[in-house]
């Protein structure tokens, strides 16, 4: 899955562009040029179609742009433009199955055996874990295959069923620890390039965690966004570990002259 490495490449390219620009990111031209670096691979990945992975490139860009000093007013204009273009995207860009996922997000019961099945079963799986869970490999929803794609997109639901609310808090606490330590590495970075790189990487990582968890509990439409370090997939694991390697390298280089 080469697209898994897209976030890493985009973070490197945009951090280098903004890091070597002494002005940082101050005006519209910086936003456009940086956005083009992101838009090209985003459109290629979305063409597969893999809209879930494509969307994860956006937090990387905005994370770097924010640290580089891009004005919040420009970010607000981009957000507003996205909202205005949403009807156009709905009509011409989204596939039928993608529209169905969004519609069933608001009301999964309208197609409980089809598009809404994953959302309904994910909610049941999370709720069935209770406080302490049913135990490792003892979850009925996941073990009896009621929950589709349990090893990948909905691995968080399996965690909630087997380890319960306590286990969920522990795992979310570990994710928070990783994010905080990464932000500290960005703060301690020797140069702007390192800070921007870490900021972009951790923005993409945080988005994946937040969206996957929200999707698993029915608070976001179902998309093919993995949960880092937990979802099945070698490409995802290698790409994630490579990004952590870069973060550790930035942290280490603060001691160099």
């Amino acid at each position: 899955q080469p697209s898994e490495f897209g976030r890493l490449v985009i973070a490197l390219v945009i951090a280098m562009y903004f890091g070597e620009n002494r002005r940082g990111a101050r005006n519209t031209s910086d936003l456009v040029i940086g956005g083009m670096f992101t838009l090209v691979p985003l459109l290629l990945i979305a063409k597969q179609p893999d809209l879930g992975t494509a969307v994860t490139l956006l937090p990387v860009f905005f994370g770097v742009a924010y640290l580089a000093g891009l004005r919040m007013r420009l970010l607000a204009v981009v957000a507003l433009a996205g909202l205005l273009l949403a009807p156009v995207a709905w009509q011409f860009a989204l596939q039928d199955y993608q529209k169905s996922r969004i519609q069933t997000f608001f009301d999964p019961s309208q197609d409980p055996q089809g598009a809404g099945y994953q959302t309904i079963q994910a909610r049941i799986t999370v709720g069935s874990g209770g406080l302490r869970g049913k135990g490792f490999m003892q979850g009925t929803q996941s073990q009896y295959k009621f929950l589709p794609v349990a090893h990948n997109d909905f691995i968080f639901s399996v965690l909630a069923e087997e380890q319960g609310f306590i286990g969920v808090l522990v795992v979310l606490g570990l994710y928070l620890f990783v994010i905080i330590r990464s932000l500290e590495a960005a703060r301690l970075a020797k140069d702007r390039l390192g800070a921007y790189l870490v900021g972009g990487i951790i923005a993409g990582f945080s988005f994946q965690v937040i969206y996957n968890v929200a999707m698993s509990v029915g608070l976001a439409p179902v998309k093919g966004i993995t949960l880092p370090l937990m979802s099945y997939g070698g490409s995802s694991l290698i790409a994630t570990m490579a990004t952590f390697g870069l973060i550790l390298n930035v942290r280490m280089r603060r001691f160099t002259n």
Side-chain angles (χ1 to χ4, degrees):
Q1 186 73 311
S3 57
E4 283 291 341
F5 298 91
R7 289 181 297 277
L8 173 59
V9 174
I10 291 299
L12 285 167
V13 171
I14 299 178
M16 183 175 296
Y17 170 71
F18 286 134
E20 293 180 348
N21 185 354
R22 293 185 178 181
R23 296 183 297 107
R26 299 295 182 185
N27 51 43
T28 305
S29 62
D30 294 326
L31 176 65
V32 172
I33 296 174
M36 289 300 297
F37 289 135
T38 307
L39 187 62
V40 173
L42 186 149
L43 293 177
L44 290 174
I45 296 173
K47 185 66 177 177
Q48 293 183 14
D50 187 0
L51 186 60
T53 302
V55 169
T56 61
L57 301 182
L58 294 177
V60 176
F61 167 70
F62 286 115
V64 176
Y66 176 77
L67 290 179
L70 193 65
R71 295 175 181 176
M72 294 301 296
R73 182 175 59 185
L74 290 177
L75 294 179
V77 170
V78 173
L80 179 60
L83 290 176
L84 295 177
L85 291 175
V88 179
W90 177 270
Q91 186 68 29
F92 300 104
L94 295 181
Q95 303 287 338
D96 290 338
Y97 76 92
Q98 294 170 335
K99 296 179 181 178
S100 179
R101 285 180 175 179
I102 295 175
Q103 290 171 337
T104 54
F105 162 67
F106 294 103
D107 185 14
S109 62
Q110 68 179 354
D111 189 10
Q113 297 299 319
Y117 182 78
Q118 288 179 308
T119 300
I120 294 173
Q121 293 301 319
R123 289 177 177 176
I124 294 174
T125 304
V126 172
S128 65
L131 180 63
R132 298 184 178 180
K134 298 179 178 179
F136 181 65
M137 300 290 288
Q138 300 299 315
T140 54
Q141 287 291 114
S142 57
Q143 295 302 312
Y144 293 129
K145 310 299 182 183
F146 289 107
L147 179 65
V149 204
H151 64 293
N152 194 348
D153 295 350
F154 290 97
I155 191 66
F156 183 82
S157 299
V158 177
L159 169 72
E161 183 181 35
E162 295 183 354
Q163 305 302 324
F165 183 68
I166 295 176
V168 166
L169 288 181
V170 171
V171 170
L172 292 180
L174 291 173
Y175 277 122
L176 181 61
F177 174 76
V178 170
I179 293 171
I180 291 176
R181 292 286 287 178
S182 298
L183 292 176
E184 183 183 8
R187 181 179 63 84
L188 297 175
K190 181 181 177 182
D191 51 29
R192 293 188 301 173
L193 174 60
Y196 297 165
L197 176 61
V198 175
I201 289 173
I202 205 60
F205 177 84
S206 301
F207 175 80
Q208 280 188 273
V209 173
I210 293 172
Y211 193 95
N212 186 278
V213 171
M215 177 186 73
S216 298
V217 298
L219 297 178
V222 175
K223 301 299 299 179
I225 297 179
T226 58
L227 183 61
L229 303 177
M230 288 191 62
S231 292
Y232 177 87
S235 298
S236 175
L237 179 62
I238 293 173
T240 301
M241 298 305 291
T243 58
F244 285 156
L246 287 175
I247 293 175
L248 292 174
N249 185 269
V250 169
R251 187 180 180 90
M252 177 189 67
R253 283 175 58 84
R254 76 186 192 276
F255 296 115
T256 61
N257 295 323

